Amino acid sequence: SHDYGLLIEDEDGVDLYRVVSSTGSSNANTHTWWTDGTERLRIDSSGYVGIAQTAIECRLHVSEFTGEGTDRTLAMFQKNHTEANLNGNMASNGFPHAIILENKDMSSDEGLISLCFSKFTSGSQSQAVIAGISESPGNMALTLNTESGNTIGERLRITAAGLVGIGTDNPNQELVIHSSAFTNIVLKSERTSATDQIGGLSYYNSAGISTATINALVNGTILFKTAGDERLRIDSSGNVGVNNSNP
């Protein structure tokens, strides 16, 4: 094998900087960059780039091993702009994004682009995925997916129209929660006084005025209100009061 490159040393012969082009059979047409005697960056014969990684598995492979940079972020993308809201064209030349994930396949209008979170474990890796799913031209949904029993599954979807589905990939209302078993929503409060309201459901009109509410108290009482006034109450004993707060 033959290596060609540039080497810069200090006066004591310690490597300060080295760049090497290898034509050997094991690292044919591979270029490496070194500082302080340690390889820092590598471009292999396929054009794959490794930073602190010699066994490159993907187009850009960045590694940091145990004990290295333990108090620093692995990667950071910084962008300086004055936009305060998303608006207009979201394409690469239409808005100053810090980063874009894009699927460039043109064979179908449907498809996805995803971001995977993965953790090595004593068994199989644990993973979760955020995916953007193209529903049709100009329409993209967002999904949250988690792994259970080594199987990835969609848990939440926001459609292109802004409808939210939990346990369903086809919500037809603003919020749809679906389960094959008992479906429950829990509202929990740290309040402890018996007559404190701990949670409720409020209805507002387009002017932002509360038109009706259903509230629960710490002691188990349920209140029904319209136009801000209590109309009906069911206490913890099951007694019902209509326009009566002490049935």
Side-chain angles (χ1 to χ4, degrees), residues 19-89:
V19 57
V20 177
S21 176
S22 175
T23 59
S25 58
S26 60
N27 291 302
N29 300 313
T30 295
H31 297 267
T32 57
W33 284 258
W34 304 58
T35 61
D36 196 28
T38 301
E39 181 182 323
R40 307 299 184 184
L41 185 146
R42 167 179 297 232
I43 303 177
D44 67 17
S45 59
S46 298
Y48 284 27
V49 178
I51 299 177
Q53 177 60 254
T54 59
I56 307 172
E57 298 180 11
C58 51
R59 183 62 66 186
L60 174 61
H61 193 161
V62 182
S63 294
E64 192 168 71
F65 298 102
T66 302
E68 296 181 354
T70 55
D71 60 346
R72 294 188 178 185
T73 301
L74 179 60
M76 180 167 60
F77 299 88
Q78 292 182 314
K79 181 73 176 178
N80 189 345
H81 64 81
T82 59
E83 293 288 352
N85 298 287
L86 292 174
N87 57 77
N89 186 357

Side-chain angles (χ1 to χ4, degrees), residues 223-238:
L223 310 179
F224 296 83
K225 299 180 181 180
T226 61
D229 295 322
E230 180 181 326
R231 308 301 184 184
L232 185 147
R233 167 183 297 233
I234 305 174
D235 68 17
S236 57
S237 297

Side-chain angles (χ1 to χ4, degrees), residues 138-203:
N139 295 288
M140 178 164 280
L142 184 71
T143 65
L144 301 182
N145 309 264
T146 60
E147 185 180 52
S148 177
N150 295 325
T151 301
I152 198 75
E154 180 180 320
R155 312 304 178 191
L156 184 147
R157 175 178 293 232
I158 304 174
T159 70
L163 305 180
V164 178
I166 299 176
T168 175
D169 61 4
N170 189 30
N172 58 3
Q173 299 294 328
E174 281 72 18
L175 174 62
V176 177
I177 301 174
H178 173 80
S179 174
S180 59
F182 175 71
T183 302
N184 192 33
I185 298 175
V186 176
L187 302 178
K188 185 177 180 180
S189 171
E190 296 300 323
R191 289 182 169 180
T192 57
S193 297
T195 56
D196 280 350
Q197 296 186 26
I198 59 174
L201 180 63
S202 298
Y203 300 85

